């Protein structure tokens, strides 16, 4: 494939970066969501969710807490079926329920993933540009700093939305009821109560982002040098994104397991009013997991996570890079017009 952009092209504006990241988030969700629908159906078949419990769904971009009622959810595992494996589940779901069922978890994914991704990727590029003037001699650290700061910002902005979405998912609420629910909580526990669960997300996502962007920029430069191009092609961005995402996912898996445990505990506390008797600090949860399942318990679900994160990172970054390249070439064509 031809080069995505040339070194002398004008860089896209912040708005254009936001548009590119928005398109990337939508395309990634559309392509990766079926993998999680199938995984969830297989999980429900082998280990059905009991009444009143919840489970965590992730499409590689965002995590979503989903409600289970009467042994059957209104969402995507209401028909567990008799699946023998991933391919068998894929075929049977399409044949019995129709191909649309593979995207039945898409709305909550888009509601949370799109604004989060726009903030994250746009801010990353803006921070990289700003840090280049201050850390010219230490440019290897720029992706680490920019990735960490941009992820911190996106998590902080989106956390209250995640809590609100969880409450809306538990039961249908009008906007007035939702406002009363949130305002009552703020009056009782303060504004910081809207950021419950924020710390576990930070502990997992900031190290992930730091490692992801550091390795992505390294792999991208190495492959560009080997191929002999100035800027990454679509294939280079795709491959670099998959490799860096896999490495980051593997190293941060223990924090992902802890975050899942804390999310389900938070959901039960917020919606089912089940008191949390044990300490829910990150290290307390980690010790509890090790005591129950050993060290391997901290890496539970690593294969399914890699199967989602690798393609999600690859699709997202390559689409984003291509979108920025498109706007750069558009600028060039407009400047050439008389």
């Amino acid at each position: 494939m031809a080069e995505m952009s040339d070194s002398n092209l004008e860089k896209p504006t912040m708005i254009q970066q936001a548009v590119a990241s928005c398109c990337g988030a939508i395309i990634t969700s559309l392509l990766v969501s079926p993998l999680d629908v199938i995984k969830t159906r297989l999980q429900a078949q082998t280990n059905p969710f009991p009444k009143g419990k919840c489970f965590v769904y992730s499409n590689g971009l965002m995590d979503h807490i989903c409600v289970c009622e009467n042994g059957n959810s209104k969402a995507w595992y209401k028909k567990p079926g008799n699946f023998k494996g991933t391919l068998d589940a894929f075929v049977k779901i399409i044949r019995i329920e129709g191909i649309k069922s593979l995207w039945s978890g898409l709305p909550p994914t888009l509601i949370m993933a799109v604004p989060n991704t726009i903030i994250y990727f746009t801010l990353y590029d803006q921070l990289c540009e700003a840090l280049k003037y201050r850390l010219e001699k230490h440019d290897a650290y720029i992706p680490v700093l920019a990735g960490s700061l941009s992820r911190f910002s996106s998590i902080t902005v989106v956390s209250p939305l995640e809590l609100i979405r969880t409450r809306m998912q538990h039961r249908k609420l009008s906007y007035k009821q939702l406002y009363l629910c949130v305002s009552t909580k703020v009056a009782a526990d303060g504004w910081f109560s809207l950021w419950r669960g924020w710390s576990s997300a930070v502990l997992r996502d900031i190290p992930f982002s730091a490692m992801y962007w550091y390795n992505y920029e390294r792999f991208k430069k190495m492959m560009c040098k080997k191929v002999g191009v100035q800027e990454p092609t679509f294939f280079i961005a795709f491959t670099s994104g998959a490799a860096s995402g896999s490495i980051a996912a593997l190293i941060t898996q223990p924090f992902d397991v802890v975050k899942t445990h804390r999310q389900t505990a938070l959901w039960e506390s917020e919606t089912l009013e089940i008191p949390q008797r044990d300490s829910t600090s990150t290290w307390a949860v980690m010790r509890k997991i090790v005591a129950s399942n050993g060290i391997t318990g901290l890496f539970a679900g690593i294969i399914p996570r890699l199967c989602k994160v690798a393609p999600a990172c690859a699709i997202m970054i390559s689409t984003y890079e291509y979108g920025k390249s498109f706007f750069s070439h558009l600028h060039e064509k407009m400047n050439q017009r008389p």
Side-chain angles (χ1 to χ4, degrees):
M1 182 178 286
E3 288 183 25
M4 291 169 58
S5 64
D6 298 312
S7 57
N8 60 344
L9 290 178
E10 184 179 343
K11 293 181 179 180
T13 64
M14 184 185 295
I15 298 298
Q16 291 169 340
Q17 289 172 347
V19 172
S21 59
C22 177
C23 293
I26 293 171
I27 293 172
T28 304
S29 297
L30 286 170
L31 295 178
V32 178
S33 286
L35 297 176
D36 239 322
V37 172
I38 292 171
K39 178 190 72 70
T40 305
R41 296 293 185 90
L42 290 171
Q43 282 183 332
Q45 176 179 267
T46 57
N47 184 26
F49 298 99
K51 180 180 178 180
K53 293 292 183 179
C54 63
F55 65 96
V56 176
Y57 152 76
S58 171
N59 75 325
L61 286 176
M62 290 292 296
D63 291 338
H64 309 284
I65 301 176
C66 300
V67 181
C68 174
E69 296 178 354
N70 300 320
N72 286 312
S73 170
K74 293 178 285 187
W76 343 292
Y77 67 94
K78 58 186 177 182
K79 296 180 181 178
N82 185 23
F83 305 132
K84 298 177 182 178
T86 301
L87 183 60
D88 184 58
F90 180 80
V91 173
K92 286 182 178 178
I93 289 172
I94 293 177
R95 189 177 66 218
I96 297 172
E97 304 174 41
I99 196 168
K100 289 183 179 179
S101 293
L102 292 175
W103 286 272
S104 52
L106 190 60
T109 300
L110 292 177
I111 289 171
M112 295 304 300
V114 171
N116 187 296
T117 306
I118 291 173
I119 296 169
Y120 180 34
F121 279 80
T122 305
L123 189 56
Y124 172 79
D125 271 342
Q126 294 297 316
L127 285 171
C128 280
E129 289 299 317
L131 289 170
K132 282 179 182 178
Y133 294 103
R134 296 179 177 270
L135 302 173
E136 291 181 358
K137 296 181 180 179
H138 306 283
D139 59 345
Y141 298 104
I142 290 176
V144 176
L145 290 172
S148 300
L149 291 171
S150 59
R151 196 58 177 167
F152 178 88
S153 301
S154 63
I155 293 170
T156 303
V157 171
V158 175
S159 270
L161 298 178
E162 179 72 13
L163 182 63
I164 292 171
R165 185 197 58 78
T166 302
R167 286 178 175 270
M168 292 184 71
Q169 192 175 48
H170 175 56
R171 61 184 183 274
K172 290 185 178 180
L173 297 173
S174 65
Y175 287 109
K176 184 177 181 180
Q177 290 173 321
L178 181 63
Y179 171 77
L180 289 173
C181 182
V182 173
S183 60
T184 301
K185 181 173 178 59
V186 170
D189 303 323
W191 283 100
F192 288 109
S193 62
L194 296 179
W195 278 267
R196 287 191 64 182
W198 172 85
S199 60
S200 59
V202 166
L203 282 173
R204 182 197 65 170
D205 290 355
I206 288 183
F208 181 96
S209 296
M211 285 182 283
Y212 170 78
W213 286 110
Y214 176 76
N215 286 315
Y216 172 73
E217 298 293 351
R218 282 187 63 195
F219 292 153
K220 183 175 72 173
K221 288 179 181 179
M222 288 169 56
M223 294 184 71
C224 284
K225 186 176 180 180
K226 187 174 182 179
V227 176
V229 295
Q230 292 292 324
E231 296 293 331
T233 62
F234 187 91
F235 175 78
I236 289 175
F238 189 94
T239 306
S240 300
S244 55
S246 298
I247 293 171
L250 181 63
I251 296 174
T252 60
Q253 179 64 15
F255 292 106
D256 185 66
V257 174
V258 171
K259 184 174 185 290
T260 298
H261 279 261
R262 293 194 68 185
Q263 276 188 312
T264 53
L266 175 63
W267 185 88
E268 290 176 347
S269 174
E270 291 289 340
T271 59
L272 301 181
E273 298 182 353
I274 298 175
Q276 298 183 38
R277 298 178 182 177
D278 299 326
S279 174
T280 56
S281 70
T282 298
W283 305 114
V285 174
M286 195 172 286
R287 286 195 299 269
K288 185 178 179 181
I289 293 170
V290 172
S292 302
N293 306 308
I295 295 295
T296 56
L298 294 175
F299 292 88
I302 184 61
I303 299 301
R305 189 178 182 218
L306 286 174
C307 290
K308 292 180 296 181
V309 171
C313 289
I315 296 167
M316 180 63 220
I317 193 63
S318 55
T319 306
Y320 179 60
E321 294 277 20
Y322 187 85
K324 291 193 298 180
S325 174
F326 169 80
F327 285 116
S328 294
H329 282 93
L330 185 63
H331 276 303
E332 185 183 36
K333 288 182 180 179
M334 292 179 67
N335 291 335
Q336 288 177 350
R337 290 180 180 178

